[in-house]
Amino acid sequence: MISLTSLLYMRLIPIFSILCYHIIISSSEEEGRSHDGTIEGELDCNMRKLFMEMAQQNIPWRHDTKDVFDALELDSRCPDEVYAHHMHSAIIDSSNTKLEKEEEEEEEHTYLVYVDPKDGNDKHNSGNYTHPYSTIHRALYDTRHKIPTTKHNTKKSIILKSGIHFLNETITLTSPLDNHLTIRGMDEGTWISGGIAINSQTTHWEQSKTNEHVWVANLSSIVNDDTSITGLFTTNPHERMTLARYPNANVEEWDAPKRYIPSFTIKSPIVHYEDPKNVSQYEWIFPNFTTVPEFYSIDLRQSNNPSGHVKNDSSMDEYNIYGTGHGGSCASVWGDEPSYWCSNISAGGWAEVDQYAAKAGRPNIPVGITIYNTLLVERFSKWNETKARGAILHVQHTQGWAIHMFNISHIITSTPDELTIHFDKGGSQGGRNWQCLDDNHRLSDCNGENKILHSGAWYVEGIYDELDKEGEFYYDKDKKLLYFYPNSTSCEGEEFTSLARKSKSTNCIPDLIATNLKTLIKFDGTKEPVKGVTLQNLGFREAGKTYMEQWSAPSGGDWALYRGGAVHLEGTENVTISDCHFRRLDGNAVMISGYNRYAHITKSEFSWIGDGAMATWGDTKEYDATEGNQPRYSIIENNIISNIGLYQKQSSAWGQNKAMASTIRKNVMFNVPRTAINFNDHLGGGNSIEGNVIFSTCRESGDHGAINSWDRMPFLVDNRDGPSFTPLPTHTSRNLIMANYNSAQGFDNDDGSSWFYTHDNVFYSTKGFKMDYGGHSSRFENNLVYGDECYGTGDFLNKDLADTFQGNICIIDETNTSKAIIFGHLFQCGFMVPRSNRYYSTSGTGKFFCGSKELFTLQEMQHKGFELGSTIGITPDSHTIISWARKILHQPQHSWGYHKGHPKKQKKKITIVVWLIVIVLLVGSLTKLLLLFSVRDSLQLIWERLCQCASFSVSKASSDSTREPLLSQNIFETTITNSTSGLPSSPLTVT
């Protein structure tokens, strides 16, 4: 009897322990299932769930993350996934309470001024809580002049009450008057607008005499002669209207069909996309040859160069030379700012195009377009030529690198089959020239005869005669008339039509806001830095378009930039932007320009932005950056950036130009037309990109990665115990990146990129390491890459400063390819020596390029001295891959999951399980007393069966819990553990 009860007691414990184990695991992390039921589909589902989980960890302040869920397509990729509005409410509530207490304590020692846009009064009120002012400018007068000048460092706050605060001029903050100022919103409904309110109750609208769907308002009472309305929005809900255009499209619908006129050329006619029977042909018009730009260059390889420091580390000689060009033919497009692409020493991918253009004295940027024998001629010839003046033509760069915009000056219809549209300005929005087609219809430079300027797709906006779709508008600046095509349900039907005809007006138009200001808040610290200012809990909306302002190339990357934004920092120290929302701004959201130190942007949202979210642009004296007039030590963390670059596709969430030592960490970036993070140069280096979640980039362009870098221009910086041309390493680590859509690499180290250390990242659906055109001294280590190539190194690499590729896990995704498995490309065999990597394919086989054409097996590569310590194995199951990813990212192996609730709730579940175990132990003790000897045989049989179940469960649980990087299916591999990363090192043998 004793042995049986003991057996019973001992068997109960493991059975219920396994039960507890499964309860915990099932409540914390359910394995995803795909629609197709394949291993690849299962991995894709679970990987996207990991993206969702980590995204929510990065932005715990955000109540709703449905947009992230939708962008990851979790409902279609994982059939069991349904978004639940749950988001960490306990964390949010406690943090908000703490923040409110801190604000209350701070307000006791702060000079406070209140502003209420609805009930405030600038003339009669005192600015206190019960008698607030109506404008921010009036409140600023108090914070500047009612505090003694000897106490400029006194803390002061302008508190904005809920509502839309309209600005009639830019708020300019200076030092010392505005030092240590906080401008804060009282709640999430506080907005600052650069627009002009068009109130439906006070604005007189009339139905158009020529189009019954269009309504007209005379705005002469609320606008001046200089007002140019390029954007229009509804007030609530906040929605963007469309400047009348052809073809019809809403810029917020990035993948809408027929939103562009396709790319055609005169020598390769293509069927028109609207009428298959009609052939479309057109030709871009070259500008005339003018004067050659003034070239300036310093050969830094020479010991007697004026910098006093030698740079000779790049195998591309041009990258050891500082060179620019300005004036002449370049000034007609890019203005007076010196440009690398106007020089005679530009080098890298397609750089011969720019160099030839500079030397010839003719930019490859068109001054017009001639259209032949198409439906477009018939359509465009009907435009009112007077109202077409000032319209904007948007056209993609030859390879889709940027959007170039041109102002239409006039239109000439020569014959029924020929029409020419002329431009009088524009084209500077991309940093580089267009390319041409040669006689064989191949891309080439534009030097020589019979070359044709080649573009991408295009559209035209600002055309009165194209006002033919709901949500479109047109503004006649000369007459101050706004034409608007409202929603069909707003102003149609017998009631509204009869009312309009009788009274000549109607109130069916919603409240609207027209754009006016391009900059809402500017920090002007050019004479003395503005210090310690905070913008908190504010919304920014309705800043005007800037793409027809002057753009220039800040440095040696491909991009051009407009040096401004809705919030513009110029000369600041310790400025903080926190808990803000930048929404539906038509230009850049934030520009950090010139001297800036420790700018901090955190817990903020950027959405539906016309150009870029955040960018820097520092100043140098030619190659010399030692005076420090650049943004340094900026911190960008815990932000969410999505749906940007609506107009300029060469836009990013973070664009770094002539800045250094930036920290970009724990942000969420997605739905971006080009790269999410762009380094236009590597001035000074010392950046950190850590813990970000990035996906859905390059949706409307190509030839880029989710992160991109260039380093063509040398800069002398005081970053290594004295001036040096060598940047500090930029570390990229613990990021989760998916290069879906048209992205290639997770991190595209493009021309000249050097000293980039990329380690401990998870790159999903991407290529791995890339390096070409004179880059060197970079490291790619301990990353997990799941994609179609592990590395690819181009020509012009420096053998003495070779890059490193080691300790990586690379899994080839064979879902959409029937090609041979190629793990890596070493185009210059011997310049980089990969080692100690682990490669996987479904067959456990694959080859490597060493040289441009020769393929080698792993054994052959190792015989040559490459890939020593590396192995090739069979692709593991999705659970193992996810486990590896979690370990690299420092994520718990059994997370509580993004959609199952808060960790505290999980603790409650675990507590319940512990009590269950206690109850089981008590039951086991009672069983000793209740069991009778007569039922021994029956119980023996029952418990034997339970023992078998328990034994099976223990075995499975043990297998699951230890299924880390060890491959359970590959019995031919023996692995050891890397003591530093916790990941397995390369297997010692492979069969």
Side-chain angles (χ1 to χ4, degrees):
M1 178 60 123
I2 295 175
S3 61
L4 177 61
T5 54
S6 299
L7 179 65
L8 171 65
Y9 183 73
M10 296 301 293
R11 293 304 186 186
L12 279 171
I13 294 175
I15 290 171
F16 281 93
S17 296
I18 297 305
L19 174 63
C20 297
Y21 170 84
H22 284 293
I23 290 174
I24 295 170
I25 297 307
S26 63
S27 67
S28 63
E29 182 178 19
E30 295 180 355
E31 293 296 342
R33 292 178 296 166
S34 68
H35 279 294
D36 56 17
T38 62
I39 294 176
E40 292 81 5
E42 183 180 286
L43 174 64
D44 187 63
C45 169
N46 287 323
M47 190 64 78
R48 288 169 185 264
K49 288 173 68 176
L50 179 58
F51 272 84
M52 185 70 185
E53 176 187 325
M54 192 166 163
Q56 290 187 333
Q57 291 174 8
N58 283 2
I59 49 171
W61 51 268
R62 199 161 185 261
H63 296 260
D64 187 5
T65 52
K66 179 65 161 56
D67 54 345
V68 183
F69 181 93
D70 291 341
L72 286 167
E73 303 176 274
L74 279 168
D75 55 345
S76 61
R77 304 280 182 161
C78 304
D80 296 332
E81 293 305 301
V82 178
Y83 181 78
H85 184 87
H86 66 278
M87 211 21 221
H88 315 339
S89 57
I91 294 179
I92 289 175
D93 293 341
S94 62
S95 64
N96 285 348
T97 302
K98 181 180 178 181
L99 180 63
E100 290 171 1
K101 290 180 179 179
E102 290 176 351
E103 289 172 353
E104 291 174 0
E105 293 174 0
E106 182 180 344
E107 287 176 2
E108 295 179 3
H109 308 284
T110 303
Y111 181 82
L112 302 177
V113 184
Y114 290 85
V115 180
D116 189 333
K118 292 175 282 190
D119 299 321
N121 190 304
D122 284 353
K123 292 184 179 180
H124 305 294
N125 286 354
S126 59
N128 61 21
Y129 182 82
T130 55
H131 298 82
Y133 293 130
S134 62
T135 66
I136 302 174
H137 284 95
R138 179 62 183 85
L140 270 173
Y141 180 86
D142 275 19
T143 60
R144 289 169 174 172
H145 301 290
K146 288 193 174 182
I147 297 176
T149 56
T150 57
K151 297 183 178 181
H152 284 311
N153 289 332
T154 300
K155 289 184 178 180
K156 52 223 175 198
S157 292
I158 297 176
I159 312 298
L160 306 185
K161 293 191 175 184
S162 178
I164 301 177
H165 297 255
F166 290 98
L167 303 178
N168 55 16
E169 62 178 323
T170 299
I171 296 171
T172 302
L173 304 178
T174 60
S175 180
L177 289 177
D178 298 314
N179 288 349
H180 307 288
L181 170 69
T182 294
I183 302 178
R184 176 167 60 85
M186 289 191 68
D187 54 43
E188 293 181 358
T190 304
W191 294 90
I192 297 176
S193 171
I196 299 170
I198 303 174
N199 189 291
S200 61
Q201 301 300 316
T202 58
T203 302
H204 183 76
W205 288 94
E206 292 187 354
Q207 195 171 24
S208 171
K209 297 178 180 179
T210 58
N211 187 338
E212 65 177 358
H213 301 292
V214 175
W215 298 79
V216 189
N218 189 317
L219 303 183
S220 57
S221 63
I222 57 175
V223 301
N224 55 44
D225 294 340
D226 297 328
T227 302
S228 181
I229 296 175
T230 59
L232 189 69
F233 301 81
T234 55
T235 304
N236 188 20
H238 188 204
E239 297 177 349
R240 176 181 271 108
M241 302 295 103
T242 299
L243 184 59
R245 55 170 280 172
Y246 178 80
N248 285 330
N250 182 342
V251 294
E252 295 191 3
E253 298 175 8
W254 73 274
D255 58 348
K258 300 182 180 180
R259 64 192 187 280
Y260 290 109
I261 299 169
S263 172
F264 305 127
T265 67
I266 184 66
K267 291 192 177 182
S268 56
I270 301 176
V271 176
H272 192 278
Y273 76 110
E274 284 189 349
D275 183 1
K277 297 180 180 179
N278 181 74
V279 175
S280 291
Q281 300 173 333
Y282 55 75
E283 182 176 13
W284 299 100
I285 303 172
F286 273 109
N288 294 323
F289 288 96
T290 57
T291 57
V292 174
E294 180 180 341
F295 299 134
Y296 173 82
S297 64
I298 297 178
D299 190 342
L300 301 170
R301 297 171 297 177
Q302 305 299 321
S303 58
N304 60 347
N305 78 75
S307 76
H309 302 268
V310 173
K311 183 185 187 300
N312 194 24
D313 55 359
S314 177
S315 60
M316 291 280 286
D317 288 338
E318 295 88 346
Y319 297 166
N320 300 314
I321 301 172
Y322 179 88
T324 60
H326 74 280
S329 59
C330 271
S332 64
V333 179
W334 289 287
D336 296 328
E337 189 80 18
S339 171
Y340 177 81
W341 298 111
C342 291
S343 74
N344 59 350
I345 57 98
S346 60
W350 291 98
E352 67 277 7
V353 174
D354 303 277
Q355 193 173 137
Y356 283 142
K359 292 178 178 178
R362 184 186 70 176
N364 301 337
I365 301 294
V367 294
I369 179 175
T370 299
I371 303 170
Y372 305 93
N373 191 27
T374 73
L375 289 177
L376 295 180
V377 174
E378 180 181 355
R379 187 180 191 104
F380 293 176
S381 62
K382 295 178 181 178
W383 289 348
N384 182 311
E385 185 172 344
T386 301
K387 291 187 177 180
R389 292 173 186 168
I392 309 298
L393 191 144
H394 299 238
V395 56
Q396 294 176 346
H397 178 274
T398 310
Q399 297 195 45
W401 293 344
I403 299 292
H404 298 253
M405 293 82 162
F406 300 92
N407 190 80
I408 295 176
S409 60
H410 59 286
I411 301 173
I412 298 175
T413 304
S414 303
T415 70
D417 296 329
E418 182 178 329
L419 176 144
T420 301
I421 301 175
H422 293 272
F423 312 143
D424 59 359
K425 65 178 180 179
S428 65
Q429 301 86 357
R432 300 187 60 176
N433 288 274
W434 289 15
Q435 291 141 22
C436 281
L437 290 181
D438 61 17
D439 286 337
N440 296 314
H441 297 182
R442 294 176 303 191
L443 283 180
S444 75
D445 59 71
C446 298
N447 189 38
E449 301 295 329
N450 301 320
K451 299 291 183 71
I452 300 170
L453 270 177
H454 187 52
S455 76
W458 55 283
Y459 70 91
V460 61
E461 70 170 2
I463 300 293
Y464 170 78
D465 295 284
E466 297 297 341
L467 186 55
D468 56 2
K469 184 177 175 62
E470 294 177 8
E472 287 192 334
F473 74 95
Y474 172 83
Y475 181 65
D476 187 329
K477 183 178 179 181
D478 295 333
K479 298 180 180 180
K480 299 184 177 63
L481 296 178
L482 177 64
Y483 298 81
F484 180 53
Y485 192 141
N487 186 287
S488 60
T489 60
S490 301
C491 297
E492 290 193 353
E494 186 176 347
E495 177 184 353
F496 286 124
T497 303
S498 59
L499 173 65
R501 286 173 180 167
K502 289 179 181 179
S503 65
K504 300 299 182 183
S505 67
T506 183
N507 62 352
C508 66
I509 307 296
D511 289 341
L512 300 171
I513 300 175
T515 56
N516 181 28
L517 302 177
K518 297 178 177 68
T519 301
L520 309 187
I521 298 180
K522 181 173 183 178
F523 294 77
D524 186 0
T526 52
K527 294 182 179 179
E528 182 180 348
V530 181
K531 301 178 180 179
V533 174
T534 298
L535 305 179
Q536 185 179 25
N537 202 30
L538 301 170
F540 297 91
R541 53 186 284 176
E542 287 104 26
K545 295 173 181 174
T546 59
Y547 50 67
M548 291 312 299
E549 302 296 320
Q550 184 62 61
W551 292 46
S552 302
S555 53
D558 287 1
W559 293 30
L561 206 63
Y562 168 68
R563 198 167 187 171
V567 175
H568 186 162
L569 280 63
E570 187 90 29
T572 71
E573 294 179 3
N574 296 296
V575 166
T576 298
I577 300 174
S578 175
D579 304 278
C580 291
H581 193 168
F582 297 82
R583 186 175 73 187
R584 291 194 166 92
L585 304 164
D586 280 347
N588 297 317
V590 177
M591 170 60 65
I592 306 174
S593 175
Y595 174 89
N596 289 272
R597 295 292 185 272
Y598 302 102
H600 188 195
I601 303 176
T602 180
K603 295 189 293 183
S604 295
E605 180 171 350
F606 300 79
S607 59
W608 307 110
I609 306 298
D611 297 334
M614 297 167 280
T616 67
W617 189 335
D619 293 311
T620 62
K621 288 186 176 180
E622 299 168 350
Y623 58 83
D624 191 350
T626 56
E627 290 187 357
N629 292 322
Q630 309 89 31
R632 299 188 180 190
Y633 317 114
S634 302
I635 300 175
I636 312 300
E637 62 181 349
N638 300 116
N639 303 289
I640 179 170
I641 305 103
S642 67
N643 299 295
I644 64 174
L646 302 182
Y647 298 112
Q648 178 50 266
K649 305 308 176 185
Q650 194 162 279
S651 297
S652 58
W654 174 258
Q656 184 154 316
N657 309 269
K658 290 185 177 178
M660 63 174 287
S662 303
T663 298
I664 305 117
R665 66 186 174 212
K666 294 188 176 181
N667 301 284
V668 180
M669 305 174 180
F670 63 98
N671 290 358
V672 180
R674 203 143 169 69
T675 188
I677 300 174
N678 183 61
F679 291 93
N680 217 49
D681 53 71
H682 204 201
L683 181 152
N687 307 287
S688 175
I689 310 169
E690 180 183 357
N692 300 284
V693 174
I694 304 174
F695 62 96
S696 296
T697 61
C698 294
R699 294 199 304 178
E700 300 177 72
S701 62
D703 196 13
H704 244 13
I707 306 175
N708 186 81
S709 66
W710 288 289
D711 192 15
R712 299 183 180 108
M713 293 188 81
F715 292 104
L716 188 69
V717 183
D718 51 341
N719 60 351
R720 290 177 176 267
D721 298 325
S724 173
F725 284 107
T726 302
L728 296 170
T730 283
H731 287 266
T732 303
S733 62
R734 313 292 179 197
N735 299 283
L736 180 58
I737 297 176
M738 175 162 43
N740 50 341
Y741 292 99
N742 301 312
S743 295
Q745 297 80 15
F747 196 148
D748 183 349
N749 293 123
D750 217 335
D751 301 2
S753 295
S754 304
W755 299 98
F756 284 90
Y757 289 4
T758 304
H759 56 92
D760 301 288
N761 301 279
V762 174
F763 296 113
Y764 177 64
S765 188
T766 76
K767 296 180 185 294
F769 180 56
K770 173 192 171 181
M771 183 60 64
D772 61 5
Y773 287 108
H776 60 84
S777 304
S778 292
R779 306 176 70 89
F780 195 91
E781 299 175 331
N782 301 322
N783 301 288
L784 189 156
V785 177
Y786 184 91
D788 63 354
E789 183 181 81
C790 306
Y791 57 83
T793 60
D795 298 335
F796 312 105
L797 302 179
N798 192 323
K799 185 175 183 179
D800 296 327
L801 296 170
D803 302 307
T804 300
F805 185 88
Q806 68 177 12
N808 301 288
I809 301 171
C810 182
I811 306 165
I812 297 297
D813 178 9
E814 302 171 60
T815 307
N816 300 313
T817 180
S818 59
K819 300 183 294 184
I821 303 303
I822 308 298
F823 288 118
H825 292 245
L826 287 176
F827 286 99
Q828 285 180 288
C829 202
F831 281 28
M832 183 179 81
V833 183
R835 59 182 179 270
S836 301
N837 301 294
R838 299 165 59 206
Y839 302 100
Y840 297 95
S841 66
T842 55
S843 63
T845 62
K847 293 187 177 182
F848 302 80
F849 272 109
C850 201
S852 59
K853 296 181 179 179
E854 293 186 87
L855 277 172
F856 299 92
T857 65
L858 176 61
Q859 289 76 12
E860 290 170 333
M861 289 287 284
Q862 291 175 337
H863 183 71
K864 289 175 171 289
F866 302 101
E867 298 289 1
L868 297 179
S870 298
T871 61
I872 299 176
I874 296 174
T875 301
D877 58 55
S878 65
H879 307 285
T880 302
I881 297 173
I882 293 294
S883 176
W884 293 347
R886 287 186 173 279
K887 186 168 286 287
I888 288 173
L889 297 170
H890 288 181
Q891 293 290 308
Q893 287 298 324
H894 298 295
S895 168
W896 51 273
Y898 74 89
H899 68 296
K900 296 301 179 185
H902 187 267
K904 288 184 178 180
K905 295 180 180 179
Q906 298 301 327
K907 290 180 180 179
K908 291 180 180 179
K909 291 181 180 180
I910 293 172
T911 302
I912 293 172
V913 171
V914 172
W915 278 108
L916 284 173
I917 294 174
V918 173
I919 293 171
V920 168
L921 293 175
L922 292 173
V923 171
S925 300
L926 291 173
T927 303
K928 290 182 179 181
L929 301 174
L930 296 176
L931 280 175
L932 298 175
F933 187 81
S934 59
V935 297
R936 178 186 304 174
D937 295 338
S938 299
L939 290 174
Q940 186 73 41
L941 180 61
I942 294 171
W943 292 122
E944 284 179 358
R945 296 295 181 266
L946 288 174
C947 290
Q948 293 174 6
C949 294
S951 177
F952 173 78
S953 299
V954 171
S955 175
K956 185 177 186 303
S958 176
S959 174
D960 288 343
S961 63
T962 59
R963 185 186 6 174
E964 291 188 352
L966 295 175
L967 293 184
S968 59
Q969 295 179 350
N970 191 345
I971 62 174
F972 299 107
E973 290 191 353
T974 303
T975 59
I976 59 176
T977 301
N978 184 310
S979 60
T980 58
S981 66
L983 288 169
S985 61
S986 300
L988 299 179
T989 61
V990 63
T991 301

